[in-house]
Amino acid sequence: MSFDVVGFDFLEGLTHFLKVFGGILAAALVVSLIIAFLKYGPRGFGLFFKTIWQAIVDFVHTSPRRVWAITMLTWKESSRKKALFVFVVFALLIMFAGWFLRSSVDRADLQLKVYVKFVLTAISWLTLPVVLLLSCWGLPTDIKNRSLHTVVTKPTRRHEVVLGRFFGFSLVGTVVLLVMGVIGYFWTVGQMPAEAKSELVGRVPVYGDMTYSNREGNRPQDASEETSGVNVGDIWEFRSYIEGGTKSRTFYDFDNLDVSEIREAGEFRIEYNFEAFRTHKGDIDKRLACQMTIVNKTNGLRVPLPIFEVHEFSNRAADKTIILGGVDDDGNRIDTVTYNEEATNELKTVNLYDEVLEGGDITIEVQCLDPGQFLGMARPDLFIRMPDRSFASTYFKAVFGIWLQMVLIIVIGVTASCFVKGPVATLLTFGILVVGTGFSELMQGLAAGQTEGGGPFESAYRMFMHLNPTTGFDEGPLKSVITLVDQIAIGFLWTVQHLFPRFEYYNMIPFVANGFDVPWRASLLPSIAVTLAFVIPCLILGYFSLQLREMEAK
Amino acid sequence: MNRISSQQRKLVYLIAMGLLLAPIVYFGAPGDGSDDSGGQLSQLRSEYDLGETSLGNVDPASATMNLVLLGLRGIASNMLWGQAVEQKDQKDWAGLRATVDSIVLLQPHFKQVWEFQGWNLAYNVSAEWDGVADRYEWVKEGAKFMIKGSDRNQKYPELSWETGRILGQKIGRADEKKYFREYFLDDPNREGGGPDPDVNPDGKDNYLAAKDWFVRANEVEDQPGISQSRLARVLFRSYPVRSQIDYADTFQSEGKFDEIERIREAWEVASTELRNDWGSERFMTPAGAIVLEANDEILEAIVKEEGERFSLAEKREWVNRRQNMSNYRYWRLRCQVESEEKTINAHRNLFLGKRALIDRGDVVEAERLLTEGMVAMEEILSEWPELEQEDNFREECLKAVVLWRGAKQAQGKEVPVDFPLKNLWGSYPVEAAEYTELFRTLYGG
């Protein structure tokens, strides 16, 4: 499995958040003001500002002691509800998982995927439903049992109740997750066969920008210009192919490599994961032959590396890693690279760090040497492998990802339970979870107006007129009106889609399963940002909901 | 309202439980494996072969999974099937293998799951890999999967048959057969080499290992109440002997003539099994039972046995039909001819002659060996003229003539007007021209 890693721009995300949050807040304030005026007449203005002022005072006077008290209360309640019984299910799964998994794959190098996926998926599937139910039923049960009355009649502010619930359920979830995570870690490490233990690492990749040249060797001058290789008819269009025995190449551009870190590590590792496609049988007992050339963009040095055979689909890093530098048989550092110069075939030796990697800007050219055969690759298929992190660090980052997801569910669940009853809150939170996990792409497509057939009004018009979505729509006043109305509707959809968190960020299992470190910018940072982005608005919403809710109504 | 005390109520509950337990024990008591042991349900299960144990080996994981899922295993299997297809498209092989294992945990007695996914692994997934050793690994995965299926489902002859097909035909006839057959005896993916005990526990040739599975398929199919839906029965039952023939034939075509005795023995075994096993087996036809290795005496005995419900002429007619259907006479003749020492020697001379010409360019030696081989083939043809109709035999003879002519021309010699196999050469001018052209394309001249 491969996955494209795209960095997350925090500043852009923050700006986006402020826009959405600001927009919704402004709209909510305006609507509240109108309602206050309609309900209480001119007196409503006063009440409105008084409520806002009261909220500011409440938030400023937040008492950590009271929040802690509610947190502990929540912990006790959850323990009484036998939430920790989830451990029993987990223990059963772990005890018998060997039955289901051990014989799955005989190849030791493929077993990491199976074990990691099982453990982390089991942890998510066990913890998330438990915290979802706990958080959605906590407050409604308190209201029903009237135990909340004893709390709110004390000098406890409403947002402290909400915050205490957030923290309390998070504490329960954290304990559950921590225990399961630690057991799962030792179980995974213990289950891995001895010959595959070396795969238990967190590789740190540095990806480059990828371009192709055609069979005549023409490469786009502008790096931003999109290029692609040959489509060989694979159902999965992830990889593009270059033709062997021609001037077709793939270029991976790396800028600002940290040469000092590579020098300190004592070796320069290039890891690749190419796929072979044969148009004829060729020499069937030989794999496709390939070659890489490192080109230094600062000094123009070209270093062709030895020819290698492609070990496609192998999970053994040793099968698909080219190592320059390292140490010789006597343990001495090798800082040089020896190669045959392309034009003269003369044997040359250059310094790896001072010449080949000088300036940190390099291009790696890849070519297939077998005529008539094709070599497939995508952007994440070649990367510079920086010093590895430990398996424990990457594993627990993935557990942290599950924790962030859990906190988000708690926040949404508690907030929902502030204004609706338990079953409705459960459905609402579950709905948000489902839509955010499986339909975020569809929502984005709708909100971006990219779907064929236009927005809701244009679609309705097309249905009524029996117009195919691909059929052109005549220009004219009708089109202008429909487009305008659609834009308003799409604007509304654009706002609504942001109410559903993108849960895809939290899925860090593929990184761990494939032996990669969980990247900060592509996965951890957006996960933290999404969770934080929901905490503040949900706290405010929860506060006002409890403030305005009639506690006597069961 | 309620006049009985709590203690009395509990007592009533206890008595009710005891009463209810009696029919449960009567109906549901587990058996000890024998037919008339256990409760009523256990006996019925045993009578109708519905118990897990009567279907094959029980996998505790599978039974647990099905219990846990209650009635949702169909939905779960469908979802997993979709996932398996996606994983195959996205080349997530480890995931695919694990998903396939999960599917069979849910549907351990659904024959098509085993057949489809076993084939998928051995044929489709293996073809995706570039390295021959990797491809072999997946062929083996497919075979192991089928073996597991056969163990779990001892009443499906098709699964044993499919296992035999993977071991025999996939390993023995793929483009990579040269490597696969070697790997079957000395596995490159195994530490220390040697055969993989999961697929080849006895370290046999792949065709002989396949033969064992075909024999097992026939044994299963022999059991009362069991039938197969793969092939016409007369063909299905032929596979053990066909595998033996493949073994002998491949051994010969690979040029292992230093073990002539082994080749002869292999053909002799094939000949004996063909006549005594497959040929003597009774097959039902609209004219009652017949045997393929039939003469009037045998058929008359069957007619009498069946109370003369069918005439001898009807029997003869159906024997002829079934022999045509299964090519029986050809296989019988082939086994008979090939087990003769002179045929083996003729094959050896033609093989060595070809190698001398193509590999070493020794035209003189090639001409000598090819001439000897052609003379022997002509003698064989005169003894068994029906062999002329057999494609492989004819092809071997005509190609030998092409090579022989090539060896002559390379020495600057004229091709004589009269030469061995001249009649055959003249009778099939189109094929002769085709092989001559192929020789020119491959080797020039």
Side-chain angles (χ1 to χ4, degrees):
Chain A
M1 185 188 159
S2 288
F3 37 88
D4 209 344
V5 179
V6 181
F8 172 76
D9 190 333
F10 183 72
L11 271 181
E12 196 186 318
L14 186 65
T15 322
H16 198 79
F17 165 74
L18 290 174
K19 269 191 215 166
V20 177
F21 180 57
I24 293 176
L25 192 66
L29 289 174
V30 171
V31 171
S32 308
L33 190 61
I34 293 169
I35 291 173
F37 178 73
L38 291 176
K39 205 168 175 184
Y40 301 104
R43 199 165 59 91
F45 287 112
L47 281 172
F48 171 78
F49 287 107
K50 195 181 161 197
T51 310
I52 298 292
W53 179 246
Q54 182 60 45
I56 295 168
V57 170
D58 279 348
F59 274 95
V60 170
H61 290 96
T62 304
S63 155
R65 241 183 86 233
R66 288 194 295 263
V67 173
W68 179 246
I70 305 273
T71 304
M72 289 321 291
L73 175 75
T74 310
W75 166 264
K76 280 177 190 163
E77 275 178 12
S78 303
S79 311
R80 279 186 209 131
K81 282 179 184 167
K82 314 274 191 294
L84 300 181
F85 268 30
V86 71
F87 285 131
V88 178
V89 182
F90 184 68
L92 281 172
L93 275 177
I94 287 288
M95 276 162 67
F96 297 107
W99 284 6
F100 300 89
L101 302 175
R102 194 155 296 141
S103 63
S104 295
V105 189
D106 280 349
R107 287 178 62 134
D109 58 314
L110 297 181
Q111 281 177 347
L112 175 67
K113 276 187 186 184
V114 177
Y115 289 133
V116 167
K117 274 186 183 171
F118 165 73
V119 165
L120 292 176
T121 310
I123 293 175
S124 325
W125 284 24
L126 285 176
T127 50
L128 299 184
V130 170
V131 296
L132 190 147
L133 290 172
L134 280 177
S135 59
C136 289
W137 286 86
L139 275 174
T141 314
D142 282 356
I143 295 171
K144 193 179 173 188
N145 297 340
R146 306 197 175 191
S147 53
L148 195 67
H149 294 62
T150 53
V151 177
V152 290
T153 46
K154 300 243 166 20
T156 308
R157 297 168 203 275
R158 304 292 162 105
H159 76 286
E160 289 167 349
V161 174
V162 179
L163 259 181
R165 289 286 171 187
F166 282 178
F167 289 134
F169 291 129
S170 299
L171 184 66
V172 175
T174 308
V175 170
V176 170
L177 201 59
L178 206 62
V179 173
M180 285 187 184
V182 171
I183 294 173
Y185 172 77
F186 286 109
W187 184 83
T188 309
V189 173
Q191 288 288 322
M192 281 296 282
E195 62 267 32
K197 292 268 190 215
S198 60
E199 307 299 329
L200 289 171
V201 288
R203 286 173 289 169
V204 182
V206 173
Y207 295 100
D209 290 323
M210 181 195 200
T211 46
Y212 297 88
S213 67
N214 60 17
R215 57 165 64 178
E216 283 78 35
N218 299 325
R219 183 189 176 192
Q221 294 305 308
D222 184 0
S224 64
E225 194 181 325
E226 278 213 8
T227 58
S228 67
V230 178
N231 180 343
V232 296
D234 205 333
I235 297 172
W236 195 33
E237 292 184 345
F238 176 67
R239 294 194 170 91
S240 247
Y241 290 75
I242 53 169
E243 189 177 346
T246 68
K247 290 181 181 171
S248 187
R249 305 272 189 283
T250 310
F251 302 89
Y252 288 90
D253 285 304
F254 297 90
D255 295 327
N256 303 318
L257 284 176
D258 190 345
V259 182
S260 59
E261 193 185 350
I262 298 169
R263 189 194 296 267
E264 200 177 315
E267 57 183 13
F268 177 61
R269 292 181 293 182
I270 304 166
E271 194 167 317
Y272 58 90
N273 185 26
F274 303 147
E275 196 177 331
F277 178 81
R278 291 182 184 240
T279 54
H280 58 90
K281 267 196 287 181
D283 203 348
I284 57 171
D285 67 330
K286 285 207 174 86
R287 299 163 196 267
L288 290 199
C290 306
Q291 190 172 28
M292 287 186 202
T293 304
I294 302 177
V295 184
N296 188 296
K297 290 197 246 182
T298 310
N299 58 24
L301 181 69
R302 291 179 63 86
V303 180
L305 303 179
I307 294 167
F308 61 93
E309 288 187 353
V310 176
H311 287 260
E312 58 176 2
F313 310 131
S314 171
N315 255 30
R316 278 185 290 259
D319 285 347
K320 44 184 191 175
T321 307
I322 292 175
I323 302 175
L324 301 178
V327 289
D328 62 17
D329 294 341
D330 301 327
N332 301 317
R333 261 182 81 117
I334 303 170
D335 286 346
T336 55
V337 180
T338 304
Y339 67 99
N340 288 83
E341 200 177 41
E342 285 173 326
T344 59
N345 205 28
E346 193 184 326
L347 203 65
K348 283 202 161 183
T349 301
V350 286
N351 187 286
L352 172 63
Y353 308 105
D354 298 334
E355 291 176 87
V356 181
L357 301 178
E358 185 190 345
D361 296 344
I362 59 166
T363 299
I364 296 178
E365 292 181 13
V366 186
Q367 60 175 318
C368 172
L369 300 177
D370 285 302
Q373 316 292 25
F374 287 76
L375 190 69
M377 56 201 92
R379 195 179 84 95
D381 281 339
L382 186 144
F383 56 85
I384 309 292
R385 187 170 159 189
M386 302 305 272
D388 294 336
R389 305 241 162 89
S390 68
F391 176 69
S393 92
T394 185
Y395 173 87
F396 284 105
K397 278 178 194 169
V399 174
F400 179 61
I402 299 173
W403 183 82
L404 285 170
Q405 191 174 5
M406 186 189 75
V407 169
L408 181 58
I409 289 173
I410 290 170
V411 165
I412 295 172
V414 170
T415 310
S417 69
C418 289
F419 54 87
V420 285
K421 290 182 180 175
V424 186
T426 308
L427 272 179
L428 180 63
T429 313
F430 185 69
I432 290 174
L433 178 66
V434 170
V435 173
T437 307
F439 297 92
S440 61
E441 254 182 56
L442 176 75
M443 296 265 297
Q444 282 166 38
L446 284 174
Q450 291 164 344
T451 44
E452 267 185 351
F457 288 93
E458 189 183 324
S459 297
Y461 177 76
R462 279 176 184 277
M463 277 197 273
F464 184 71
M465 299 300 289
H466 291 200
L467 282 174
N468 192 302
T470 52
T471 314
F473 194 6
D474 293 336
E475 294 289 335
L478 181 64
K479 184 176 181 181
S480 307
V481 172
I482 287 182
T483 311
L484 183 71
V485 182
D486 268 347
Q487 273 172 357
I488 298 167
I490 286 172
F492 175 71
L493 267 180
W494 183 86
T495 314
V496 168
Q497 65 151 330
H498 291 98
L499 300 178
F500 297 91
R502 288 173 66 173
F503 283 97
E504 71 211 38
Y505 287 124
Y506 299 101
N507 184 14
M508 300 169 192
I509 299 173
F511 293 107
V512 191
N514 286 282
F516 283 96
D517 184 47
V518 176
W520 166 252
R521 278 197 61 200
S523 193
L524 278 174
L525 178 62
S527 307
I528 296 170
V530 170
T531 303
L532 287 178
F534 274 83
V535 169
I536 301 160
C538 282
L539 181 62
I540 297 172
L541 183 62
Y543 168 79
F544 280 109
S545 301
L546 271 191
Q547 192 79 316
L548 302 173
R549 188 167 177 173
E550 179 52 68
M551 294 295 173
E552 286 304 317
K554 289 181 186 176
Chain B
M1 249 162 73
N2 195 348
R3 291 173 185 212
I4 58 172
S5 68
S6 168
Q7 197 177 8
Q8 286 168 327
R9 198 169 57 244
K10 282 170 189 163
L11 206 64
V12 170
Y13 287 158
L14 204 66
I15 294 166
M17 281 161 70
L19 287 175
L20 285 171
L21 208 61
I24 291 174
V25 170
Y26 174 72
F27 287 115
D32 60 6
S34 57
D35 283 353
D36 53 355
S37 66
Q40 187 80 9
L41 283 173
S42 171
Q43 287 174 24
L44 282 171
R45 205 161 39 226
S46 173
E47 188 183 338
Y48 292 106
D49 282 345
L50 292 172
E52 282 271 323
T53 43
S54 58
L55 294 172
N57 292 344
V58 178
D59 177 9
S62 172
T64 316
M65 189 83 115
N66 283 330
L67 271 176
V68 169
L69 280 171
L70 302 171
L72 293 173
R73 70 171 173 171
I75 296 166
S77 305
N78 271 349
M79 287 173 70
L80 286 170
W81 198 281
Q83 193 181 328
V85 171
E86 195 180 325
Q87 283 165 330
K88 181 172 165 281
D89 288 346
Q90 300 200 351
K91 297 158 197 207
D92 177 8
W93 310 120
L96 171 68
R97 189 69 178 86
T99 308
V100 166
D101 272 352
S102 305
I103 296 172
V104 296
L105 282 177
L106 296 175
Q107 302 277 27
H109 304 303
F110 191 1
K111 186 177 65 180
Q112 276 77 7
V113 174
W114 293 99
E115 286 176 335
F116 180 91
Q117 295 295 2
W119 175 279
N120 199 19
L121 295 173
Y123 287 78
N124 301 336
V125 176
S126 76
E128 292 282 347
W129 290 66
D130 195 41
V132 182
D134 291 332
R135 282 185 224 172
Y136 176 69
E137 184 68 18
W138 284 98
V139 172
K140 239 171 38 176
E141 283 292 328
K144 285 180 189 174
F145 184 79
M146 282 293 189
I147 289 170
K148 197 155 84 172
S150 310
D151 287 342
R152 297 263 169 84
N153 300 279
Q154 290 164 4
K155 302 211 165 179
Y156 291 142
E158 292 93 338
L159 294 181
S160 299
W161 189 85
E162 286 289 358
T163 310
R165 191 149 74 137
I166 291 176
L167 297 183
Q169 296 184 359
K170 178 61 189 168
I171 290 180
R173 290 191 192 161
D175 286 341
E176 308 85 351
K177 62 185 172 196
K178 178 174 174 286
Y179 304 96
F180 283 0
R181 277 174 50 74
E182 281 172 23
Y183 296 164
F184 194 68
L185 298 171
D186 190 9
D187 196 330
N189 300 315
R190 238 174 86 79
E191 210 170 310
D196 185 333
D198 290 341
V199 288
N200 190 13
D202 304 323
K204 288 182 174 177
D205 182 275
N206 71 299
Y207 283 116
L208 293 184
K211 183 182 164 186
D212 291 345
W213 281 99
F214 289 132
V215 168
R216 183 170 156 178
N218 282 358
E219 283 168 2
V220 175
E221 202 255 357
D222 265 340
Q223 292 171 31
I226 292 181
S227 61
Q228 54 81 31
S229 52
R230 173 71 52 180
L231 289 167
R233 188 161 183 270
V234 69
L235 297 176
F236 187 86
R237 305 287 298 184
S238 73
Y239 272 79
V241 70
R242 292 282 296 277
S243 216
Q244 176 69 31
I245 292 172
D246 284 337
Y247 164 67
D249 195 24
T250 309
F251 213 71
Q252 193 165 275
S253 62
E254 284 175 350
K256 293 173 179 165
F257 291 104
D258 47 340
E259 295 179 70
I260 283 189
E261 195 46 42
R262 197 167 153 190
I263 297 175
R264 203 179 55 75
E265 197 184 301
W267 279 113
E268 266 180 11
V269 171
S271 183
T272 313
E273 287 179 355
L274 183 119
R275 287 163 186 274
N276 298 348
D277 295 345
W278 183 37
S280 304
E281 205 171 318
R282 289 194 177 192
F283 295 103
M284 289 309 293
T285 68
I290 58 149
V291 291
L292 293 171
E293 187 64 38
N295 54 34
D296 283 354
E297 197 184 326
I298 296 170
L299 293 179
E300 271 169 12
I302 299 174
V303 169
K304 274 185 194 155
E305 207 178 287
E306 290 177 342
E308 303 193 344
R309 279 193 297 133
F310 305 101
S311 69
L312 184 64
E314 280 176 305
K315 293 274 180 200
R316 281 199 204 114
E317 163 68 15
W318 278 98
V319 168
N320 193 37
R321 283 197 196 188
R322 289 290 178 260
Q323 284 186 340
N324 288 344
M325 185 188 200
S326 59
N327 226 358
Y328 180 79
R329 288 186 299 276
Y330 161 71
W331 290 116
R332 185 177 58 192
L333 175 68
R334 180 94 197 272
C335 291
Q336 188 190 346
V337 175
E338 298 288 3
S339 54
E340 296 279 332
E341 199 165 334
K342 66 179 167 197
T343 317
I344 298 171
N345 281 329
H347 284 304
R348 185 185 59 178
N349 285 334
L350 295 184
F351 180 83
L352 295 176
K354 182 183 175 185
R355 295 273 68 87
L357 182 68
I358 308 294
D359 299 345
R360 304 197 302 276
D362 186 348
V363 286
V364 179
E365 178 70 358
E367 189 193 339
R368 187 183 67 76
L369 288 165
L370 288 166
T371 310
E372 279 178 24
M374 284 159 63
V375 169
M377 282 299 194
E378 193 163 65
E379 276 175 31
I380 293 163
L381 264 178
S382 62
E383 198 172 339
W384 295 287
E386 54 270 52
L387 274 178
E388 190 182 312
Q389 304 301 322
E390 205 278 295
D391 293 346
N392 291 340
F393 189 86
R394 196 169 64 240
E395 183 180 332
E396 191 182 5
C397 291
L398 292 175
K399 280 185 173 173
V401 177
V402 172
L403 290 167
W404 172 79
R405 288 163 71 101
K408 282 252 179 217
Q409 283 162 357
Q411 296 173 71
K413 290 182 185 172
E414 282 285 311
V415 176
V417 182
D418 222 14
F419 56 90
L421 297 175
K422 189 188 169 192
N423 286 343
L424 186 77
W425 182 261
S427 304
Y428 296 91
V430 178
E431 286 175 43
E434 186 191 325
Y435 297 141
T436 308
E437 188 54 35
L438 183 68
F439 178 74
R440 283 207 187 107
T441 312
L442 290 174
Y443 309 112

